[in-house]
Each structure stands twice: as C-alpha cells, then as structure tokens.
C-alpha cells in the first residue's frame, strides 16, 4: 500500500472495509502496519472527524487547565488525536498502539512525550493505576478490535475524578458491538464506578458514548440517554474538581 497513490473514495472505503473484516488480531495489526504510510491521506479522503469531535467533547468536560493535564491516547495510530489535543492546549501526551508502523509515524509528529507498543485487549496498559487525568480511545472500540472487556483497564490507569472519552461506530456491521459497549458502560455506572457527563450522536457514522468521570466511591445512577448530547452530574454529590 505504501507505493500506491492516494486512493479514490471507493478505494479507501474498500480498504476500511477490509480492515474491519479481519477477525484475527495479529493479521489486523499487520494490515495496519502496511496501511500506515497511506493512513493519514486515506482518512482525509473520508473526511474523518472522530478525533476532532472526541477532543471537542473532552475539552467541554475537562474542568481544569489543559496544559497541566496528563493524557493517554489509546490506539493512537499515527497521532491524529494528539494533533487535535495539542491544538486545544493539551501538551502532556502519552500514546499506545499495537502497530509498530503506526507508532513510527506518531513518533515523527513530535507531539507525544512517551509512546508504547501495546495492544489493548491482549495485554494491560503499560502504566500504573491512577496515572492519567484523561484517557481517550478513538476509532478502536468496534467489532474485531478492542473488546468491551477492556474498558476497566482504561479506568485502572485513570485518576479518580479523571475523564475517559470513548468513540464507536453506528453502522449496521457494528451495532451488536455498540449494544454490548452500552451495556458495559451502563453496568459500570450502576456500580458507581463512574458518572456520565456528555454523550453525542454524530451523523458521520461514529457514535461518541459519554465522556465519563471516574469516581472511587459509589454514585447514584445518572438518568440520561447515551445517544443524546447531555452533561450530567450526581444529584447527591458535587462533581469533584482539582
């Protein structure tokens, strides 16, 4: 793929479909390694807006100055999310991805203070408990990629009171995964692990589940629709601030 010219829209859509259709994780990562040289051009052809919209959501929910926040970008790819974060003043960025070639291009951007090779869902994140003020995972929560069972690992590395921002797709091939993800998020909220703050539904085929703030103590369940634009907090306990 590295030797090909930038693809037309049908060619790029076929490439994306091929990536989504690979069930084996090792084969999928190899596909992303080969795709890495053309990835940025291809997503530009698609007018892929998920990184910008996810960071918009994080910026809306984040309570403090962005420059002092330590952020983890999970499944960071070539660093598209990091570029959006830096543009909004988030400067302390760590990233992880399972593709060495994607990481090579992310490193070339010069935006991350630390990058690690890690495939979430196959291994734990390479960070201690309670490290990050915010954790984002954009574009990797879908069928055949990061499993819903990995969500608690995102929580593990997030500081109490920190934020977790997630995206997934709403197209028909991903609806079963989306339903399972929503059930996972709801069960964690019911258990008092985190509180829903913001939820957005985009018309780009990408659904942004709530940006969540994680609390160490139980909270009452929040009543809000995961497919609407909402910002909620505990009725019985004020939102934690730094």
């Amino acid at each position: 793929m590295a030797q090909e010219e930038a693809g037309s829209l049908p060619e790029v859509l076929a490439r994306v479909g091929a990536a989504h259709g690979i069930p084996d994780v090792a084969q999928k990562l190899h596909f992303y390694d080969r795709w890495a040289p053309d990835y940025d051009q291809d997503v530009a052809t698609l007018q892929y807006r998920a990184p910008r919209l996810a960071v918009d959501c994080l910026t809306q929910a984040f309570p403090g100055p962005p420059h002092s926040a330590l952020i983890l970008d999970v499944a960071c790819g070539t660093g598209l999310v990091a570029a959006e974060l830096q543009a909004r003043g988030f400067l302390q960025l760590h990233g992880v991805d399972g593709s060495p070639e994607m990481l090579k291009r992310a490193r070339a951007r010069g935006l991350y203070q630390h990058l690690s090779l890690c495939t979430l869902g196959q291994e734990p994140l390479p960070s201690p408990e309670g490290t990050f003020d915010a954790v984002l995972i954009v574009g990797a929560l879908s069928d055949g990629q990061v499993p819903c069972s990995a969500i608690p690992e995102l929580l593990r590395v997030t500081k109490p009171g920190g934020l977790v921002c997630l995206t997934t797709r709403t197209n028909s091939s991903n609806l079963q995964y989306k339903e399972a993800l929503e059930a996972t998020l709801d069960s964690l909220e019911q258990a008092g692990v985190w509180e829903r703050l913001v939820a957005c539904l985009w018309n780009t085929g990408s659904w942004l589940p709530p940006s969540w703030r994680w609390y160490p103590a139980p909270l009452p369940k929040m009543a809000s629709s995961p497919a609407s634009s909402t910002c909620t907090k505990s009725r019985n306990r004020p939102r934690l601030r730094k």
Side-chain angles (χ1 to χ4, degrees), residues 28-47:
K28 189 183 291 285
L29 291 174
H30 179 64
F31 184 94
Y32 276 102
D33 278 339
R34 295 176 55 235
W35 192 6
D38 300 321
Y39 184 81
D40 286 359
Q41 280 186 309
D42 283 357
V43 296
T45 299
L46 293 173
Q47 299 182 342

Side-chain angles (χ1 to χ4, degrees), residues 1-226:
M1 283 187 281
Q3 285 72 40
E4 297 175 2
E5 296 296 326
S8 65
L9 180 58
E11 290 169 338
V12 173
L13 289 172
R15 193 172 297 175
V16 172
H20 291 164
I22 300 172
D24 180 76
V25 173
Q27 291 180 8
K28 189 183 291 285
L29 291 174
H30 179 64
F31 184 94
Y32 276 102
D33 278 339
R34 295 176 55 235
W35 192 6
D38 300 321
Y39 184 81
D40 286 359
Q41 280 186 309
D42 283 357
V43 296
T45 299
L46 293 173
Q47 299 182 342
Y48 180 56
R49 298 190 297 147
R52 178 173 61 82
L53 295 171
V55 175
D56 283 347
C57 182
L58 175 66
T59 302
Q60 175 187 350
F62 198 79
H67 64 271
S68 62
L70 184 61
I71 309 295
L72 178 64
D73 181 8
V74 178
C76 66
T78 62
L80 296 175
V81 171
E84 297 292 343
L85 286 166
Q86 187 191 55
R88 289 160 181 77
F90 294 96
L91 305 178
Q92 300 186 54
L93 309 179
H94 290 207
V96 299
D97 199 273
S99 163
E101 292 300 317
M102 288 283 190
L103 283 176
K104 183 185 297 184
R105 279 149 185 84
R107 187 170 290 110
R109 288 182 185 266
L111 301 180
Y112 294 96
Q113 282 68 55
H114 186 75
L115 286 165
S116 299
L117 184 66
C118 174
T119 305
L120 182 62
Q122 304 294 310
E123 56 189 322
L125 292 168
S127 300
E129 181 177 341
T131 298
F132 298 99
D133 296 291
V135 174
L136 296 93
I137 179 167
V138 179
L141 288 173
S142 61
D143 191 39
Q145 298 197 80
V146 175
C148 298
S149 59
I151 298 298
E153 181 63 7
L154 302 177
L155 291 177
R156 182 187 68 80
V157 300
T158 306
K159 293 177 181 178
L163 297 175
V164 177
C165 186
L166 320 168
T167 73
T168 194
R169 295 182 286 112
T170 57
N171 51 308
S172 58
S173 65
N174 197 55
L175 287 182
Q176 185 174 356
Y177 180 97
K178 176 179 174 288
E179 291 173 0
L181 178 61
E182 289 175 349
T184 299
L185 302 180
D186 286 344
S187 68
L188 288 168
E189 188 179 19
Q190 290 173 25
V193 176
W194 54 10
E195 176 193 15
R196 182 176 312 185
L197 294 182
V198 179
C200 305
L201 181 66
W202 304 332
N203 62 5
T204 59
S206 296
W207 177 74
L208 181 64
S211 173
W212 302 85
R213 175 165 298 166
W214 177 32
Y215 287 94
L219 289 170
K221 184 174 185 291
M222 294 295 96
S224 70
S225 167

